[in-house]
């Protein structure tokens, strides 16, 4: 995933605040486009300040990209209220489609990335979750993905399961400083990690982190441009020399 710039992150937070304010003022639910599921906590905090609730749903349990719904606290929001449509692609046996191929075809339909949620791939079938308004465009325009002919419809039930794949990275670190975390996941020296941070390549909590000494926390999801996206999973002990036993999950 492309890391957010500081400006785009600020715009996103302001947009969520606007949706929450509109909900508070009108008493009606308002929906965002698709965002990474990790953004839900920040949106919930904004909703709390506006005295409304924020609920996320991506069309399937365990989705890594979800729509946000800002709604009055007393309102029950059903999953069926989200303007999400499941589009199904069926293709011949022996063919293996890849996530990037499907995403590329969807983007070639002149769709915005934030109108597209998770893309799930199975045996002879793939499914993607999109904003309801763009589903007819996909059904009408997509006939091939790469060299593979596909049959497309938007009225089949969800038949695939979601779930992010992670590579666990375990080891010991001297502290929870940003430069230490970057050096750990990028497998580079502290000096190199400091350079990466000062180049604006570390994104965490919707912001560009430019201070090497910034302290990171368990549960933080961060990305280092050029190296990937990560989640600080746990600290499970301290060595005699005061180093932390840490596990970080790398998104695959």
């Amino acid at each position: 995933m492309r890391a957010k710039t500081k400006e785009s992150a600020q715009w996103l937070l302001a947009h969520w605040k606007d949706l929450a304010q509109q909900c508070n003022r009108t008493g009606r639910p308002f929906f965002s486009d698709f965002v990474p599921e990790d953004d839900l906590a920040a949106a919930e905090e904004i909703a709390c300040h506006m005295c409304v609730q924020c609920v996320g749903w991506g069309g399937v349990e365990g989705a890594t990209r979800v729509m946000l719904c800002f709604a009055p606290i007393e309102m029950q929001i059903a999953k069926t209220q989200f303007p999400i449509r499941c589009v199904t692609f069926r293709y011949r046996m022996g063919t293996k489609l890849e996530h990037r191929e499907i995403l590329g075809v969807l983007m070639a339909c002149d769709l915005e990335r934030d109108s597209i949620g998770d893309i799930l791939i199975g045996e002879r079938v793939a499914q993607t979750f999109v904003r309801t308004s763009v589903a007819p465009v996909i059904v009408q325009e997509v006939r091939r993905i790469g060299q593979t002919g596909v049959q497309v419809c938007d009225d089949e039930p969800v038949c695939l399961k979601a779930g992010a794949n992670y590579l666990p990275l375990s080891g010991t670190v001297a502290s929870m400083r940003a430069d230490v975390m970057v050096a750990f996941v990028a497998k580079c020296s502290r000096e190199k990690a400091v350079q990466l941070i000062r180049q604006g390549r570390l994104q965490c909590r919707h912001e560009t982190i430019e201070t090497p000494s910034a302290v990171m926390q368990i549960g933080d999801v961060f990305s280092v441009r050029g190296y990937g996206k990560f989640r600080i999973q746990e600290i499970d002990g301290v060595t005699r020399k005061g180093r932390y036993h840490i596990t970080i999950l790398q998104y695959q």
Side-chain angles (χ1 to χ4, degrees), residues 231-245:
R231 179 197 293 271
I232 301 176
Q233 183 70 4
E234 65 177 350
I235 296 174
D236 58 1
V238 181
T239 70
R240 291 182 178 179
K241 294 183 178 181
R243 294 175 64 87
Y244 298 99
H245 287 288

Side-chain angles (χ1 to χ4, degrees), residues 139-157:
V139 173
Q140 181 177 354
E141 295 190 12
V142 177
R143 293 293 178 268
R144 302 187 69 81
I145 298 177
Q147 300 301 313
T148 302
V150 294
Q151 295 178 334
V152 188
C153 68
D154 64 352
D155 56 3
E156 286 194 27

Side-chain angles (χ1 to χ4, degrees), residues 21 37 42 72 81 89 92 96 134 146 163 166 176 196 227 238 247 252:
Q21 288 175 330
E37 189 274 338
Q81 290 178 257
F89 306 93
R92 66 178 182 273
K96 178 64 174 178
V134 309
Y166 304 101
M176 298 296 287
L196 294 173
Y227 294 89
V238 181
T247 298
Q252 300 293 289

Side-chain angles (χ1 to χ4, degrees), residues 3-251:
K4 297 183 184 73
T5 64
K6 184 174 183 179
E7 292 75 17
S8 66
Q10 290 175 340
W11 179 90
L12 195 59
L13 294 173
H15 177 58
W16 295 343
K17 183 176 180 180
D18 181 59
L19 293 178
Q21 288 175 330
Q22 291 185 66
C23 170
N24 182 281
R25 185 173 64 252
T26 66
R28 296 190 294 110
F30 286 82
F31 298 88
S32 75
D33 288 320
F34 285 98
V35 299
E37 189 274 338
D38 301 318
D39 288 354
L40 180 58
E44 288 175 334
E45 185 174 345
I46 289 174
C48 181
H49 286 310
M50 295 291 110
C51 299
V52 299
Q53 64 172 314
C54 179
V55 180
W57 175 242
V60 64
E61 295 293 342
T64 60
R65 290 176 61 80
V66 299
M67 274 189 183
L68 305 175
C69 174
F70 294 89
I73 293 176
E74 68 280 2
M75 182 178 290
Q76 294 292 324
I77 301 298
K79 295 173 181 177
T80 54
Q81 290 178 257
F82 284 77
I84 297 174
R85 197 77 171 171
C86 177
V87 176
T88 301
F89 306 93
R90 293 198 174 273
Y91 43 93
R92 66 178 182 273
M93 178 74 79
T95 300
K96 178 64 174 178
L97 295 183
E98 296 186 4
H99 183 283
R100 61 180 177 81
E101 294 178 306
I102 298 173
L103 180 59
V105 166
L106 299 181
M107 299 295 284
C109 293
D110 202 26
L111 303 182
E112 297 292 336
R113 181 64 180 95
D114 56 14
S115 68
I116 305 167
D118 277 24
I119 297 173
L120 312 179
I121 301 174
E123 188 70 32
R124 293 194 298 169
V125 62
Q127 294 185 308
T128 185
F129 301 92
V130 300
R131 181 171 278 279
T132 299
S133 59
V134 309
V137 175
I138 300 171
V139 173
Q140 181 177 354
E141 295 190 12
V142 177
R143 293 293 178 268
R144 302 187 69 81
I145 298 177
Q147 300 301 313
T148 302
V150 294
Q151 295 178 334
V152 188
C153 68
D154 64 352
D155 56 3
E156 286 194 27
V158 179
C159 63
L160 299 175
K161 294 183 178 180
N165 294 318
Y166 304 101
L167 174 66
L169 307 175
S170 298
T172 63
V173 294
S175 72
M176 298 296 287
R177 284 171 50 119
D179 55 350
V180 173
M181 295 295 103
V182 172
F184 181 79
V185 301
K187 299 180 175 60
C188 67
S189 67
R190 286 275 292 277
E191 292 76 13
K192 174 65 174 178
V194 169
Q195 290 179 4
L196 294 173
I197 292 170
R198 288 178 175 165
Q199 290 169 1
R201 295 171 68 173
L202 173 62
Q203 301 281 327
C204 183
R205 304 174 204 145
H206 305 279
E207 295 182 353
T208 299
I209 306 299
E210 298 178 336
T211 305
S213 61
V215 177
M216 302 179 72
Q217 305 171 5
I218 293 174
D220 276 352
V221 175
F222 65 97
S223 60
V224 184
R225 192 166 69 250
Y227 294 89
K229 179 180 176 183
F230 309 88
R231 179 197 293 271
I232 301 176
Q233 183 70 4
E234 65 177 350
I235 296 174
D236 58 1
V238 181
T239 70
R240 291 182 178 179
K241 294 183 178 181
R243 294 175 64 87
Y244 298 99
H245 287 288
I246 193 169
T247 298
I248 293 180
L249 303 181
Q250 180 174 8
Y251 288 67

